[in-house]
Amino acid sequence: MFYSLYSQGCLLLSELVPPVKRCLGAERQDNLVMMSKTSLCWAMWLFVALLTVARTQWEQEATDEEANGFCDWTCMKFVQLWPGSFCVGLSTKFSCVIPPFVKNWTIHGLWPSEIMNCCPCWHLFKSDLQDLPTQLSQHWPTLINKTEFFFWMNEWVKHGTCAACIESLSSPSKYFGMALKLLAAYNIDKALEKANILPSCSQSYQYEALHRALLPVLGEACDLQCVTDNKGRQILTQVKVSLFRNFSSGCFDEKAAVNPSPYKPCLSTREIFYFPIRLEQPRDPCP
């Protein structure tokens, strides 16, 4: 296509040369006309080249859009929280309240990477959750002085509306239901218990031991996050698993899930504590 347009353009210019020469009325204008013809041919060549590049780029963008659907993200983070240490790093503007039935790792969120609040007008209603509230109360509870529904609504607006660009997460019931399924699939409680890593105020663990215990269940793309208490102890608080859109683990993405928090990657050079859940003193479970 490129060379065809170029040839046709130059042929058209060749047909224009005799009238131009007659108009100029002098053979000595041959050089000027030929220079003009050459310049115009090069201009035509440049125009067609730019047009071809633009079309190629447009076709590539169309292909990418077709492959990616409506999503602006590639990976998502499935985040689990340990209630025993959550309150250690919690801001004092919140009251920490751990329900008595909470005894295991809970869901913190399902967050597409580096994107939030995609559709704030897409509100969550209690009827959207259908028969999920009982399971959500147990496995995705709020640990602060806010209602459970307020927590779920906030997670849906901030993260769920961005995840909804894929069919399997395209409604509140699908989004929250999938998070519950992921909790069962990526079971941290069983992985740590199997490795005899149990909550304790006195026993600490090495990063390598924790990572080795979680690797068979979570895969390589997991991020152990800790908080430091007032005694300088590094405490395991949160684990993020990086998932592809088909919910398999191992999605390495340079983009981070947008969710500022006091929990930072655990330092592999320091010992890590795994505190027990203490309902009566959640901010300082191991004084």
Side-chain angles (χ1 to χ4, degrees), residues 91-275:
S91 170
T92 54
K93 70 179 181 180
F94 298 109
S95 295
C96 187
V97 181
I98 302 178
F101 54 81
V102 173
K103 302 181 185 300
N104 303 99
W105 283 78
T106 63
I107 300 170
H108 192 178
L110 182 58
W111 307 334
S113 296
E114 206 177 62
I115 190 169
M116 283 197 311
N117 298 310
C118 294
C119 187
C121 59
W122 192 350
H123 299 295
L124 179 70
F125 296 95
K126 291 183 178 180
S127 58
D128 293 329
L129 300 177
Q130 300 176 1
D131 58 346
L132 294 176
T134 300
Q135 297 179 66
L136 291 175
S137 294
Q138 181 178 357
H139 300 297
W140 199 336
T142 180
L143 303 180
I144 61 174
N145 56 328
K146 298 286 185 180
T147 66
E148 291 176 330
F149 186 75
F150 178 87
F151 179 32
W152 303 333
M153 179 177 61
N154 190 54
E155 288 294 306
W156 168 252
V157 172
K158 286 174 65 177
H159 307 290
T161 56
C162 299
C165 60
I166 60 175
E167 199 280 333
S168 53
L169 300 174
S170 58
S171 70
S173 61
K174 289 182 178 180
Y175 174 74
F176 288 101
M178 179 57 69
L180 291 169
K181 292 178 182 178
L182 293 174
L183 183 67
Y186 298 103
N187 194 314
I188 294 178
D189 289 290
K190 288 185 178 179
L192 294 180
E193 288 174 8
K194 185 177 180 180
N196 200 33
I197 296 176
L198 305 173
S200 170
C201 286
S202 57
Q203 174 68 49
S204 63
Y205 301 93
Q206 296 300 314
Y207 180 94
E208 180 57 34
L210 291 165
H211 186 266
R212 187 168 56 248
L214 296 173
L215 182 62
V217 177
L218 307 184
E220 286 284 356
C222 68
D223 180 19
L224 279 62
Q225 295 199 314
C226 290
V227 67
T228 302
D229 70 358
N230 55 14
K231 294 181 177 62
R233 293 173 293 189
Q234 182 176 224
I235 310 160
L236 180 64
T237 305
Q238 193 165 255
V239 175
K240 296 181 178 181
V241 186
S242 189
L243 306 177
F244 291 100
R245 293 182 192 172
N246 64 359
F247 309 109
S248 61
S249 65
C251 187
F252 290 94
D253 191 351
E254 293 181 358
K255 298 179 179 180
V258 178
N259 196 69
S261 80
Y263 313 118
K264 308 300 179 185
C266 300
L267 298 177
S268 60
T269 55
R270 295 182 56 200
E271 61 182 2
I272 299 173
F273 285 87
Y274 180 28
F275 283 174

Side-chain angles (χ1 to χ4, degrees), residues 46-68:
L46 179 61
F47 171 75
V48 174
L50 292 174
L51 186 64
T52 303
V53 170
R55 177 175 178 176
T56 301
Q57 183 176 357
W58 177 82
E59 289 176 344
Q60 182 61 49
E61 289 176 353
T63 301
D64 292 344
E65 183 175 348
E66 182 177 355
N68 295 331

